[in-house]
Amino acid sequence: MTAPAAAVRSSATFSLARRELRRFLINPVFLLGVALAAFGVLGNRDNPADAVDAFVWLAAIFLGGFGMMAAYWQTRSMNRSAEVVDVAPISLPARAAALCACAFVPFLLAAAMLVVAVRLRAVAGDGAWSSYALSDQAATQIARYVLPALTGPLLGVALGRWIRFPGIAFVAFLLLYGWATLGYVLSAGRGDALVLHMVLFAPVAYLLPSPDSGIPLIAWYGTPWLFVGWQLCLSTVAVLVAMLRGADGIVRRRIVTGLIASSALGLVMYVLTVAL
Amino acid sequence: MVRTLLRTVPWRAVIGTAVAATVLGAGGLAFPAVVSVFFAFAFALLAGSAALLLDDPASLVVDCTPTGVVPRTAIRSLGLLAPLAAGFALVGAGVLRGIDVPWAAVSLALVGGVILGFTMACVARAMAGEPGAGAATAVVLVLVIPGLLPFVPQWIHTFPSSVAYAPSSERLWSFVITVCVLAIVTMTVFPRLRWVAGWAAPGVGLRRQTGRSAGQP
């Protein structure tokens, strides 16, 4: 590929990403999620001790989960107009990459929510977290608040690329939410290996219930930063799976190689998270 | 005609969603600590399954045939038996396991949710040929959101998780079922109102021509 041709493709992908981002910002499901998250933040503002833990759910459900449904809709709507869009000089993997760029919106909003939560935690006192080093506290909070909001929309794009079943977005949302709830409830009662893996595989690692809620304090399993690495590997896998659709030739080989590498790295991260 | 019309129902989507609901409900039965959450989600999925029943990819042709809206909707409503059967199987299993939930109110919530999903699809069908995905997402969100927000679960009980919540849940679902039945009758028996609903929605003409679903961006 010549340098000018590469520049044109890069510019086209960037323009498409900008357009997809605009569409995502006015997606009704995503806007509803943002409004409900804001309502949840305002509703919990007067009770800072409980608010910080409640925010984890708000970020995961309304930014990650609703973001996943919105991204799925957006991807499917693009598939429906494939006959027209296929004429444009942009490959399917580049289109998938442009769609994946939308995930930065809920990611940034979740980061803002984390800032609010940290401020509220400072107000409420920090008894539950004092046993953690500052670095581990940061990793735990990033894993709990921010990364589910990034992974959710990316999963939505991957689902939209590969699965035509019209209810898959809300089915996946409720199954993942059910899984996280089950892990949370079981972890309060017992701490065996099965529960550990169920909690760590859940989309939101809700591992530190507030002592105020009457549930005994449960320490974070494993190493927080490695868990962040595991979540980032999952996000990378979601992006590559989305881009794999319609890829051919050398691009396909590169994506498959990247997929194998990120899956292997993720597995290593997960094993180290549990082992260390 | 019944067999022909039933053949056009998107059974894969309807049954697939009902199976996912059954899996969630079975998870609740296996772990009674989360039974109310899992059953509430399962019932939301069953309502979504009911909303997929009216999808018709050939709506542009079908809408012009002499077969009226009433027989078409009535025949397709037979498909409601699938989500209802899955839901009542879960309720029966819960009763047999002796789980302490007000099962009469839970059954009413199941029926109400399924009828609500079908009604939303019925109303949206006036605007699009394949309203299922949009209507199903909407009904799932309507049923799930009240339980996710702070304070709201104190006022609205879409799923009666305890005996104390049963009366308010029964009142809510009795009202919803009544409104839904009226809406279905209105949308099917008075076809002129379908045109009003269609006229009220912007971009309907385009959707009807392209076959895009309601609510889809």
Side-chain angles (χ1 to χ4, degrees):
Chain A
M1 189 191 307
T2 59
V8 166
R9 284 188 186 187
S10 166
S11 162
T13 307
F14 185 71
S15 302
L16 191 62
R18 223 169 35 192
R19 183 171 162 68
E20 293 295 348
L21 206 60
R22 272 206 301 267
R23 286 179 64 206
F24 190 78
L25 281 172
I26 56 167
N27 188 303
V29 176
F30 176 66
L31 288 177
L32 180 67
V34 173
L36 291 173
F39 177 72
V41 169
L42 291 174
N44 282 297
R45 197 179 42 180
D46 298 333
N47 193 4
D50 291 340
V52 182
D53 288 336
F55 281 9
V56 175
W57 287 111
L58 293 174
I61 294 167
F62 294 126
L63 299 177
F66 279 50
M68 179 182 77
M69 286 192 273
Y72 173 82
W73 277 92
Q74 192 155 325
T75 309
R76 292 305 305 168
S77 75
M78 203 153 162
N79 284 2
R80 280 175 171 273
S81 50
E83 293 88 353
V84 180
V85 180
D86 280 349
V87 182
I90 298 173
S91 63
L92 274 174
R95 270 187 250 158
L99 280 163
C100 289
C102 301
F104 280 105
V105 179
F107 173 76
L108 292 175
L109 287 174
M113 199 182 259
L114 173 58
V115 172
V116 176
V118 167
R119 286 180 66 89
L120 282 175
R121 173 64 76 181
V123 173
D126 216 0
W129 294 92
S130 54
S131 58
Y132 284 89
L134 192 63
S135 160
D136 282 350
Q137 280 185 34
T140 315
Q141 304 295 27
I142 289 168
R144 281 155 41 107
Y145 283 87
V146 184
L147 290 180
L150 176 72
T151 315
L154 294 177
L155 179 62
V157 176
L159 289 173
R161 272 278 177 243
W162 286 96
I163 300 179
R164 294 181 62 183
F165 174 55
I168 189 66
F170 59 79
V171 168
F173 171 64
L174 290 183
L175 286 176
L176 290 173
Y177 187 12
W179 188 341
T181 307
L182 186 61
Y184 169 62
V185 170
L186 291 183
S187 68
R190 46 192 252 230
D192 56 24
L194 179 69
V195 174
L196 162 67
H197 291 296
M198 179 176 266
V199 169
L200 287 182
F201 264 95
V204 51
Y206 194 92
L207 298 177
L208 198 72
S210 164
D212 304 329
S213 61
I215 300 167
L217 183 69
I218 297 162
W220 182 277
Y221 294 106
T223 316
W225 277 115
L226 287 171
F227 188 74
V228 170
W230 151 252
Q231 286 179 308
L232 287 173
C233 285
L234 288 184
S235 300
T236 311
V237 167
V239 172
L240 292 172
V241 166
M243 290 175 68
L244 192 61
R245 180 90 181 182
D248 48 16
I250 191 165
V251 177
R252 187 180 181 84
R253 278 204 297 279
R254 279 179 185 166
I255 290 174
V256 169
T257 309
L259 202 52
I260 293 168
S262 51
S263 303
L265 185 63
L267 198 64
V268 170
M269 291 276 188
Y270 181 76
V271 171
L272 290 176
T273 301
V274 180
L276 292 180
Chain B
M1 187 175 73
V2 175
R3 282 178 65 182
T4 311
L5 275 173
L6 282 179
R7 217 167 47 211
T8 61
V9 171
W11 288 113
R12 269 189 190 178
V14 173
I15 302 287
T17 313
V19 167
T22 311
V23 169
L24 260 177
L29 292 171
F31 300 97
V34 290
V35 70
S36 57
V37 177
F38 275 44
F39 264 50
F41 286 178
F43 286 6
L45 284 181
L46 292 173
S49 167
L52 295 167
L53 276 168
L54 292 180
D55 270 11
D56 194 346
S59 63
L60 287 177
V61 178
V62 173
D63 286 352
C64 302
T65 59
T67 315
V69 180
V70 176
R72 269 190 279 136
T73 310
I75 291 167
R76 277 172 176 262
S77 70
L78 291 174
L80 288 174
L81 291 174
L84 284 175
F88 279 115
L90 287 174
V91 169
V95 172
L96 288 176
R97 283 214 65 181
I99 293 171
D100 187 22
V101 176
W103 290 111
V106 166
S107 303
L108 188 66
L110 165 68
V111 174
V114 168
I115 292 180
L116 178 66
F118 189 72
T119 308
M120 287 174 89
C122 219
V123 173
R125 179 66 176 81
M127 305 170 225
E130 294 177 83
T137 306
V139 74
V140 166
L141 293 181
V142 164
L143 292 178
V144 168
I145 284 172
L148 304 180
L149 290 169
F151 310 126
V152 179
Q154 297 166 14
W155 309 323
I156 302 171
H157 306 112
T158 52
F159 184 85
S161 52
S162 74
V163 178
Y165 299 147
S168 67
S169 172
E170 282 173 349
R171 275 197 300 275
L172 171 74
W173 284 115
S174 304
F175 176 72
V176 169
I177 290 171
T178 310
V179 171
C180 286
V181 170
L182 284 174
I184 292 172
V185 170
T186 308
M187 297 305 288
T188 50
V189 178
F190 304 106
R192 279 180 186 279
L193 287 173
R194 290 167 60 85
W195 290 108
V196 174
W199 175 77
V204 165
L206 181 66
R207 282 201 202 103
R208 289 185 74 86
Q209 282 166 22
T210 56
R212 287 174 67 190
S213 300
Q216 206 162 8

